[in-house]
Amino acid sequence: MVVEKSYYMTQEGKEKLEKELHYLKTDRRQEVVERIKVARDFGDLSENSEYDAAKDDQAFVEQRITQVEKMIRNAVIIENDNDNPDVVSLGKTVTFMELPDGDEETYTIVGSAEADPFEGKISNDSPMAKSLLGHEIGTEVAVATPGGDIQVKITKVE
């Protein structure tokens, strides 16, 4: 039996995926079907780039539907660990200071399904999160990066 990957996410992240799935199955799927119908009316399908593009788009939409359904089906909701408020864990927001220069950064550690560094959400699979998880406020941690190891000090966990 194949064991499917678990997708760690917040309740908010799961709801966002459910909304995306609804949009893909209703609106987006219908839009693509209409594009295919219009492209068919252009004539010879063997030389019809509009038809080819619409079919490619249809394949993308169906693939994304399958992917989102799998993520929702295998979702593991992240609950905040209130027993250890000072320890970095999934779902918590952590602020750390890069050493020795003192630049501060803040990220929320989430599952890979909802990671978005531009929104301050990093994946629990990222090198930064892997290094921070399980450590508490005041701890200095070495983080392996492509440019070499960096030292950070955890200053806040929420």
Side-chain angles (χ1 to χ4, degrees), residues 38-53:
V38 169
R40 278 189 182 146
D41 293 339
F42 290 147
D44 186 7
L45 296 181
S46 65
E47 296 179 16
N48 188 331
S49 62
E50 288 86 0
Y51 179 77
D52 291 340

Side-chain angles (χ1 to χ4, degrees), residues 4-21:
E4 291 194 0
K5 177 183 176 183
S6 294
Y7 293 91
Y8 294 93
M9 63 186 76
T10 61
Q11 184 62 38
E12 175 187 336
K14 184 178 180 188
E15 289 167 5
K16 188 175 177 183
L17 283 176
E18 288 169 342
K19 285 180 185 175
E20 179 185 357
L21 182 61

Side-chain angles (χ1 to χ4, degrees), residues 85-104:
D86 295 339
V87 176
V88 179
S89 61
L90 273 170
K92 289 190 178 176
T93 300
V94 60
T95 301
F96 57 86
M97 180 174 34
E98 288 186 34
L99 302 174
D101 58 2
D103 290 342
E104 265 199 347

Side-chain angles (χ1 to χ4, degrees), residues 22-32:
H22 178 74
Y23 167 74
L24 288 170
K25 284 184 160 185
T26 56
D27 301 340
R28 190 73 180 108
R29 197 181 249 170
Q30 191 59 39
E31 289 169 10
V32 173

Side-chain angles (χ1 to χ4, degrees), residues 95-99 138-141 151-156:
T95 301
F96 57 86
M97 180 174 34
E98 288 186 34
L99 302 174
T139 306
E140 289 187 16
V141 180
Q151 285 289 120
V152 300
K153 182 176 183 177
I154 300 169
T155 59
K156 189 164 140 185

Side-chain angles (χ1 to χ4, degrees), residues 132-146:
L132 295 172
L133 286 168
H135 291 93
E136 56 187 52
I137 295 173
T139 306
E140 289 187 16
V141 180
V143 180
T145 68

Side-chain angles (χ1 to χ4, degrees), residues 4 7 17 20-22 24-25 29 58-74:
E4 291 194 0
Y7 293 91
L17 283 176
E20 179 185 357
L21 182 61
H22 178 74
L24 288 170
K25 284 184 160 185
R29 197 181 249 170
Q58 181 183 39
F60 172 80
V61 169
E62 294 304 321
Q63 178 184 9
R64 182 64 183 158
I65 287 171
T66 302
Q67 181 183 30
V68 171
E69 285 175 336
K70 181 179 178 183
M71 291 165 72
I72 291 170
R73 183 174 58 249
N74 296 306

